[in-house]
Amino acid sequence: MVNQSNSYSACTSFLAGRLATTDGSTLIGRNEDSRAAWPKHFVVHPHHEYSETQIFKSMDNGFTLNLPKVAGKYTATPEWTDKFGLFEEDGINEFGVAMSATESAYTNNQALGADPLVENGIGEEAMVTVTLPYIKTAREGVNYLGNIIEKYGTSETNGILFSDQKEVWYMETAAGHQWVAQRIPDDAYAVVANQLSIQEIDFDDNENFMTVAGLADFVTQNHLNPQTTGFNFRNIFGTNDLSDEFYNNPRVWYGQKLLNPHTEQQPQSHDLPFIRRAEKLIQVDDVKQVLSSHFQGTAFDPIGVGDARERTQYRPISLAKTQESHVLQIRPNLPTEIAGIHWLAMGVAAQSIYIPFYAGIKDTPANYKRGSETFQPDSAYWIYKQAGVLVDTNYLEFGSLLEDVQAKVNQQLILNLHISDKMARTLEGKQLENYLTSQSKQNADLGLQSMQKLTAQLITKMTDLSPLNFKQDMNL
């Protein structure tokens, strides 16, 4: 049985339905949290039609799967090395489907005893790679991955996000072969933080719930339901311990606090709802705010005004171990190539900039495909990471400089999208693909150049902060 303490990511996820947003977009997003210095790349896999069956074999745990001969084009953020697996994590495919995987979670011992994890089953490392190129709707994505899990088992407990222009789905795996998925209501949102989150399952509502075949019988036969009525997936398969109170629950609490500020809840509560209706319509910037947050405005902010115990009491949403953060936006009433926006922030979300890349691009900028575990000045990951490291040396003084750059660039990026959207609507085919690629590169260059200028400014300011400085008495 796989040791779940070795889960690769400790992420925070966000999902919102189309009627919950200001412009009718569906939104899914996640911070990929793993290591403080472990670069991600950003790539586009082209459409492929093979004459022979392709075989996927995981470098992580040996999971092997025969793949369909036709693979759709998709964006992805793989690791800088495939030595330990691909971990492509997030992307949008040519059919307008977005996927983010995974939100690592935990299954309780009773359920694991009944259905152990499968050591060479599918895990986070493989999920995007073997699913996203082959699905044409979010709902189909759930079924497609669910069939793989039923047949081959899974090595981990995970949450997976899917969306298209109409629907948003959150899927959770538990134990070796069990899974459920819930459609996020069109007028609602959800925040998830490293725990099984889906609550009551309605087995008669096929429009809004999907599950592995025989789930209810499995639970009954193994006496797993602690409640006398209902079928609460979180309570049946999940955990409920101190790590939730200090590591997971507070992140859900704060995400919900940002969008429902008048709802009174406690950070450590085990009863935070999975589904919420926000007090106002949600914009992309609201999702960015959630994913880049660290308990601002509370005593629990690590760089805030609380006492030493309070500032370190809870694990924040945005932290130094974030490799990349993404928001996958599928906009309504637009062609697939234009509708999908892959917002990508390299490194720590709180210290980075979310750059919009059209789903219809044919390639990514060269510096988004560079970077290894040692600092590299022409790597997009490391350019953002370097600025963050410098800000860390004196956050109270330098943080405002970073925030000014982030605000200015974000405003320009929004303006750029308005302009490029209008032009893109007049193009098609290769002309459209080339234009979207060019505009996305310009957006990426704007972010990188702004961070490089900030880095130069920070280094200049830091030259006068040396402990070897000496202030001479003017009377001497």
Side-chain angles (χ1 to χ4, degrees), residues 23-185:
D23 64 350
S25 292
T26 59
L27 298 170
I28 61 174
R30 184 171 58 90
N31 290 347
E32 183 187 355
D33 303 334
S34 182
R35 306 186 194 182
W38 198 251
K40 299 296 292 189
H41 292 177
F42 180 45
V43 301
V44 176
H45 293 290
H47 180 100
H48 275 298
E49 297 187 14
Y50 300 96
S51 59
E52 298 180 357
T53 298
Q54 302 296 297
I55 299 175
F56 174 88
K57 184 170 183 178
S58 172
M59 296 291 289
D60 179 40
N61 68 347
F63 167 71
T64 303
L65 182 70
N66 289 341
L67 301 174
K69 292 181 180 179
V70 178
K73 169 183 167 184
Y74 68 105
T75 58
T77 59
E79 305 280 73
W80 67 272
T81 174
D82 64 1
K83 180 178 179 182
F84 307 105
L86 293 174
F87 292 93
E88 293 204 299
E89 297 296 318
D90 52 279
I92 305 174
N93 72 16
E94 66 177 78
F95 309 109
V97 182
M99 178 180 179
S100 179
T102 68
E103 180 72 34
S104 299
Y106 302 90
T107 300
N108 64 55
N109 289 332
Q110 292 298 316
L112 286 173
D115 182 13
L117 295 171
V118 179
E119 186 173 357
N120 63 346
I122 190 170
E124 172 178 350
E125 181 268 336
M127 286 186 177
V128 166
T129 307
V130 304
T131 304
L132 187 56
Y134 312 107
I135 56 177
K136 294 185 178 180
T137 68
R139 185 184 292 265
E140 183 184 339
V142 173
N143 274 318
Y144 190 93
L145 181 57
N147 287 335
I148 294 174
I149 292 167
E150 290 179 42
K151 183 175 181 179
Y152 298 95
T154 181
S155 60
E156 305 157 349
T157 300
N158 283 312
I160 304 97
L161 299 72
F162 292 97
S163 65
D164 54 34
Q165 276 189 327
K166 295 182 179 179
E167 297 185 345
V168 176
W169 284 84
Y170 189 63
M171 177 183 189
E172 291 185 324
T173 72
H177 302 82
Q178 313 307 312
W179 64 267
V180 302
Q182 181 174 357
R183 179 181 175 180
I184 305 301

